[in-house]
Amino acid sequence: MDATHIRNFSIIAHIDHGKTTLSDRLLHRTGTIATRDMEAQMLDSMDLERERGITIKAHPVTMTYTAKNGQVYELNLIDTPGHVDFSYEVSRSLSACEGALLIIDAAQGVEAQTVANVHLAMKQNLTIIPVINKIDLPHADVALAKTQLEDILAIPAETAILASAKEGIGIEDILEAIVARIPPPEPTGAASLQALGFDSYFDTYKGVVTHVRVFNGELKAGLQVKLLHSGKNVEVKEVGSFNPKPYIREKLEVGETGYFTANIKSPKEVKMGDTVTDARNPSPALPGFKEIHPMVFSGIYPINTADYEHLKANLAKLQLNDSAFVYQAESSVALGFGFRCGFLGLLHLEIVQERLRREYNMDIIATYPSVVYRVTMTDGTLKEVDNPAFLPEVNYIQKIEEPMVKAFVICPNEYIGDMMALIAEKRGAVDHTETLDSRRVMLTSLLPLNEILIDFHDRIKSITRGFGSMDYEHADYTESDMVKLDMLVNGESVDAFSCIVHRAKAESRGRALAAKLKEVIPKQQYAVAIQGAIGGKIIARETVSAMRKDVTAKCYGGDITRKRKLLEKQKEGKKRMKAFGSVNIPQEAFIEVLKA
Amino acid sequence: MSFEPVTSLYVHVPFCAHKCAYCAFYSEASSGELIQRYVQALIREFELVAAELKPRTIFFGGGTPSLLNLRQWSQILETMERLNLTGAAEWTVECNPATVSLDKARLLRSHGVNRISMGVQSFDDALLDRLGRIHSREMVFKSFDTLRAAGFDNINLDLMFAIPGQTPAVWGQTLDEALALGSEHLSSYEVIYEDDTPLFAQLQAGEFEVDEELACAMYEELVRRAEAAGFQQYEIANFARNQLGGSPLTAESPGIPAHACKHNINYWRGGCYHGLGPSATGYVRGVRTKNWSNTQLYCEQLEKGRRAIESTEKLGALARAGETAAFGLRMNAGWPFEQFRRVTGQDLRHEWRGEMDRLIKQGWARADSEGFQLTPAGLRFADSAAELFLR
C-alpha cells in the first residue's frame, strides 16, 4: 500500500474508560473480525490483563477501511501498555504512530493516568484525536469533559468526537477522523531500510517475533538486516501483519506495520526500540532509542526451597515475553536461594509476581522492594545500588541520590488536606494544584520513588474512599539522607529485612519491623534479642522472652500416636529453620513478616 | 497360633451428662437407648478379644464411666466375670463426683474394681462453673466419703491449674483441700487448649490470655506442696504416695511410688494393651489401632460381629523404639537401660548416645550406669527432649 493511504495510531485511555471496547468496535466496523469472532477484549490476551483492564502486551492490528471519499486505507492500530511503568514501551509504540485517539469517559472526566500518557504522546508530536466516550450514560457530562480537555490537557474542545463505543455511536466519525486528521507516514529520506522494532514476543517455532514499523525502504524475507543497537546481523525469514491473527506478507513498505522473524533465539538479543536496517547498506538509527533499565528491584524466593530450579525455569520462560524483566541468582541467609529481580516499576513487579503465582503455579515470597540508588563514593566514583546488601560502608560514601517521580494525584476537593498530609508524610512536595471541575483537584508533586513503592496508591484509595487516582512519571535523581537499616536477631543481621530508608524514617520502620518479628519468632530456650540498627547504632529493640516450658501436660495411651506425629512434624520443621547464633527461626516466620 | 496374653485393658465409656469446656475427648450427650446399645456392643467386643487378654491392669475411662447405671454396670461386670477378665491387680474406674452413689461404688468394689479416679479439677465453685463441670465442691467431699465407705483404699484426684481466671491463691486453696482429703494419688495438669473446644474458641476470641509465668509458678507450687504432703512425683502430671497406713510398700521399680498407676505406666513404658469402646486405642504386637469414634458406627460394626477398628499403624522397630524412649522420659524414673532393651530390643546407649549427651550437657537429664532420666528442669521441656529420640 502506498504510504499516503496508511494511518498508524494508538489509543490512550484511563482504565475502564473504554479503550478495549472501542478497539473491538473498530476491528468489527472495518470487517477485520466478524461479530461471531468478537471475543470480548480481543486484543488483550493474558487473563491478568483482562482482570486488571490493562494491556501489557498487544499485537499491532492492521485494518482495511473504505473511507467516505471512496478510497481504501490501511489503518494500523498499535496498542500500548496503559501504564507508566512501561513508559518506555509506550513511547516506543507511540513513536511508531503518527496519531493517537485519546479516550475520556464522559462520566468520569480526565484521570491521572490520562495526563501522564497524553504528556508522552505530545512529546512524540502525535496528532491527538480526543474521543469523549460513554456519552450514552445518564450521568455523562460532555461539557465538563470538554472543559477539562482544554484546561488540563490544552487540547481544543471542538476537536473532540462524541462517542459510545458500547452503543456503536461515533465509530464512523472516529474512522473518518483517523483518515482525515492523522498525517500519512513519510519516508525519512535515508538511503535504505529503517524500521523501528517496538515490541516482541517469543514463538516456539519461529523464535523471536519482532513487531516493526517501517519508516523507510522495505522489509522482506531473505534480506540481511542489521539491528543497530543490538549490533546483530540476521537474515529475515518471514514478514507479515496481524488481522488480528498473524498473516504472511511479501514485504512491509514505508509506513506499514507488522512483524518479522529471523531465527532469533532470545528476546534479549533484540533491544526494545532498536532500528532495523539493511546490513549491506546501513542507514542511521531512528531517534529516541534508550537502553531500558529496571527501576525497582526485589528478591523473589521459592517458599519451598525444593522449588528453586522450577522457579529458575519459570523466570526464564517469563523473560522470553518480557525483555524488560531481569533477574539473577542471589542467596539470603533467611530465605535461602532465590533471585534478585528487576522491574520497570511497581505494576510490573506485581504483574510478574502474579503471573508466577497464577500461570506458573509458584509459591513465592518477595522481599521489600528497593529502588536504584546512585552512590557517589569518597573517591569520586559512582555506584548504582539496588540491593541494601551492597550499600558501601558509610565512611566510603560521599553522597546518596535517590530517584524521584512526578506524581499526578486527582482527588475530590474535600480530601485535599488529607492528601497533602499524605504527600508530606511520603517526603513529597506539592508543586502545584489545579482545579479540574467543581468537585476535583489535581495535585502535581515531586516524590521519592522509594516512598510510593508500598502503600501510596492504597492510601490514596482509602483516604478518598476510592475516588482518587494517581499516576506518575519518572523524574531526576535527588541527593537524600539515606541510611541502611539492618535488622539483627541475636546480633546477626537478617539480610531479608535490611533496607535503605531515609534517616527520618529509619527509627519508625525499625520499630515496626522489630515488633512484627517479635510476633512471629517462636519462643526459644533462650531469650532472643531483635534489634534495628543503623551502622552500629541500635535504634529499636524487642525481646522474645525465653520459653519456660515445652511439655504436654497430659499424655496417656490414646494420645501417643497423635503426640508422636506432632513431635515428628516439629522436628521436621526445625530442620528447615535458619540458625542465628544459638537461635533457630523457621523460614515461615520471615515469610509471615514479608507478607504483612 | 498363640501369643503372650495382653495384660492391660482400657475401656472407653463415651457418655457425659454435659460436655466440659476444655474437653476434646470423644463423648456425647447420653440417650438411654444409645447407652444400652453401647453396652451390648461393648460386651460383644469383650467376647472378641477375651481369648488373648489376661488383664493385670484395667482402666475404665471416658467420658464418664460412672454415668452408666447399676443395671448396665452389672451387665458389663458379669460379662467380664464370665470371660475371666476380672481379678486385675489394679482396676480403675473414672468417676465424676456428681455421679457417685454408694450402691454403684459397692457394686464396682464387689466385682474387683479397686481404684477410683475422680475428676475433681477444682475446689472453687466459680471455676468449676467456668469449666462447665456439673459437680460442686461439696459433691467432691461427699463422693470421696462414699467411695471410702464402699471400701476403696486407692483413690486418685484429678486437678487442673492455669484455668483462665484462676489466681495463685485459688490454686493454693484447691491444693490444700485436695491434699487434706488424703487420697493415694494425685493427677494434676495445666489446662490444655485443644482445638474444637469452647475454651479454645474463647482463647482465640481473645477473651483471656495465656500467662506462661503464672502457669509455671502454679506447677512449682503443685510439686512443692504435693511433696510436702508425702506424695512422690513419678510423671509430669502424676503424684502418688509410697506407703499406706505407715507400712512402706515395696516399689515395683526404683523411682516409682507404690501407689503409682500401673496402667498408665504401661503406656509410658511402651507396653501392650487392648482398647475397647468408641475411639479407644490399642497397642498389640507392635500395631497401634484406633476404634471408630462415632458410637453409632461402633455399635453397627460390633452388631455385625466384627471389631470397630478405624485405623491401624505399624511402625518399624527403630521408630517404635524411638517412640517408646520418647514417652518413657515423661516419667521421673526415665529409662533403666536394661528395661528399655527388654521392651524394644534397642540399646539407648548406642542409638541415642548423642541425644542423651546433649540433654545431659544442657542440664536437662542425667545418667548413671543403670539408666537415663530427665532432671526436674528437663521435665519442663519433656517435648523438646522427646522429639530428639524419635526416629
Side-chain angles (χ1 to χ4, degrees), chain A residues 404-409 419-420 422-424 426-434 442-448 452 456 460 470-473 475:
Chain A
M404 304 294 285
V405 295
K406 185 175 179 183
F408 310 99
V409 176
M419 201 53 66
M420 286 178 130
L422 174 66
I423 290 167
K426 296 289 184 186
R427 297 192 285 125
V430 177
D431 185 65
H432 58 277
T433 308
E434 285 162 90
M442 179 165 89
L443 306 173
T444 305
S445 47
L446 202 64
L447 289 141
I452 65 168
F456 189 56
I460 290 174
M470 187 278 286
D471 211 335
Y472 66 91
E473 20 182 268

Side-chain angles (χ1 to χ4, degrees), chain A residues 151-166:
Chain A
D151 293 354
I152 305 167
L153 304 172
I155 294 171
E158 64 273 15
T159 60
I161 297 170
L162 304 185
S164 165
K166 187 160 147 267

Side-chain angles (χ1 to χ4, degrees), chain B residues 45 48-49 52 273-285 287-294 297-302 305-313:
Chain B
E45 202 178 14
L48 290 174
V49 299
E52 52 176 30
Y273 59 96
H274 264 300
L276 310 186
S279 82
T281 63
Y283 186 40
V284 176
R285 292 182 290 279
V287 180
R288 290 202 182 274
T289 58
K290 184 173 193 301
N291 275 355
W292 288 102
S293 290
N294 184 293
L297 207 57
Y298 165 83
C299 292
E300 277 168 25
Q301 296 296 307
L302 283 149
R306 52 176 182 249
R307 291 203 59 194
I309 292 172
E310 182 195 11
S311 59
T312 62
E313 181 188 61

